[in-house]
Amino acid sequence: MSSNLAALGTALLLATVPACARDAPALRLSSQSMHASQRTMPPPSLVCPRNQLTSYDGRVLDYGRKPSGLRLRIHTEWDSEESVALALSGPALIAQLRIDGRAFSEDDWARIESAPGELRDGVDVIAWVCEDPRILPVVDWRPAVSPAR
């Protein structure tokens, strides 16, 4: 009887979710509860209220890094293209970057760039963007494979 109730609960849950959302790659529906480890959490240093925060998770299509800052164009998991720019340099820029969820350092440029200003192939990113323009975006790099050193 309890398996029938679980199946009914799952059917009701699926009935309340639009068809386009059920097929979305980032949405995982099951009769079991979701675990926090399946969710991507924003960096703890990001002070944006959660209801004003969005993330662009996907592959970097266009990249530019110059002394005046960094710009990205991202093809997201939701099949949209989003742009993010940071008009910062040096330590101020580094402070807005992360790599695999940890703090970014000057040495990490070699993990994501094949040469200064040239992004390696296959680099993914999560860009955290706040609706409040006073709060700068945070870019979390997800390199495909670390190069041999």
Side-chain angles (χ1 to χ4, degrees), residues 80-129:
S80 68
E81 287 188 15
E82 307 295 342
S83 295
V84 176
L86 287 165
L88 304 167
S89 61
L93 176 61
I94 298 274
Q96 296 307 120
L97 304 179
R98 302 187 67 71
I99 190 162
D100 292 326
R102 66 168 177 76
F104 194 88
S105 73
E106 193 67 40
D107 293 338
D108 288 321
W109 289 118
R111 289 190 59 199
I112 64 168
E113 292 182 332
S114 55
E118 293 182 29
L119 194 66
R120 291 183 183 280
D121 289 336
V123 175
D124 288 344
V125 70
I126 303 172
W128 298 94
V129 179

Side-chain angles (χ1 to χ4, degrees), residues 9-96:
T10 300
L12 288 174
L13 176 63
L14 289 171
T16 62
V17 175
C20 61
R22 283 196 300 267
D23 297 332
L27 185 61
R28 296 181 185 95
L29 296 174
S30 73
S31 59
Q32 299 176 349
S33 64
M34 293 216 20
H35 298 285
S37 64
Q38 293 175 323
R39 296 178 54 201
T40 303
M41 301 300 292
S45 61
L46 192 58
V47 296
C48 181
R50 296 303 179 246
N51 65 341
Q52 295 181 12
L53 183 64
T54 192
S55 64
Y56 304 136
D57 187 343
R59 180 68 37 108
V60 178
L61 296 176
D62 189 35
Y63 171 81
R65 179 170 71 102
K66 296 181 178 181
S68 59
L70 177 76
R71 66 165 173 70
L72 305 169
R73 191 166 45 93
I74 304 162
H75 181 255
T76 72
E77 290 181 337
W78 293 93
D79 204 26
S80 68
E81 287 188 15
E82 307 295 342
S83 295
V84 176
L86 287 165
L88 304 167
S89 61
L93 176 61
I94 298 274
Q96 296 307 120

Side-chain angles (χ1 to χ4, degrees), residues 127-148:
W128 298 94
V129 179
C130 187
E131 288 178 16
D132 184 340
R134 297 171 298 173
I135 299 173
L136 296 174
V138 173
V139 176
D140 191 351
W141 299 102
R142 306 295 169 118
V145 177
S146 297

